Amino acid sequence: MLYKEITIKNELGLKSSVAARFVQTAGQFKSQILIESENKKINAKSIMGVLLLGIKQGESIYVLANGVDEKEALDALEELASKESFED
């Protein structure tokens, strides 16, 4: 199991379309991926769970990954979280 502290830089935080992209990215990996924030752990592949955390820009979360592609999953999610905005 690996974990990493990640700061959310997107201006919207982990809400709406940003949360959807985070969940979609997490879903591409076989590993179990969890987000921990304020002593709550949720499945990073669950849109409802991610939205319920209400993570704002500048807040940090811990992302835990356990499985065959755990390092790749953490790297991809960290890269996504480091973007200040998305261009479709």
Side-chain angles (χ1 to χ4, degrees):
M1 176 180 277
L2 297 176
Y3 69 92
K4 189 177 278 193
E5 183 176 12
I6 296 175
T7 301
I8 305 301
K9 296 186 179 175
N10 191 282
E11 56 197 12
L12 299 174
L14 277 185
K15 297 180 178 129
S16 63
S17 61
V18 181
R21 285 184 189 223
F22 198 91
V23 169
Q24 183 180 30
T25 301
Q28 295 174 356
F29 297 95
K30 293 180 181 178
S31 295
Q32 177 188 28
I33 305 170
L34 302 173
I35 299 173
E36 183 175 347
S37 175
E38 297 182 7
N39 295 323
K40 297 178 196 167
K41 282 186 186 175
I42 60 97
N43 181 347
K45 299 177 183 181
S46 164
I47 188 69
M48 291 305 294
V50 173
L51 289 172
L52 286 173
L53 288 177
I55 304 298
K56 297 180 178 112
Q57 181 184 31
E59 292 184 355
S60 293
I61 58 174
Y62 285 97
V63 181
L64 300 87
N66 187 27
V68 295
D69 53 3
E70 57 193 19
K71 182 177 180 347
E72 294 84 0
L74 288 179
D75 291 345
L77 292 170
E78 181 177 39
E79 181 181 339
L80 182 67
S82 70
K83 294 181 180 183
E84 292 184 14
S85 63
F86 293 119
E87 295 182 25
D88 291 323

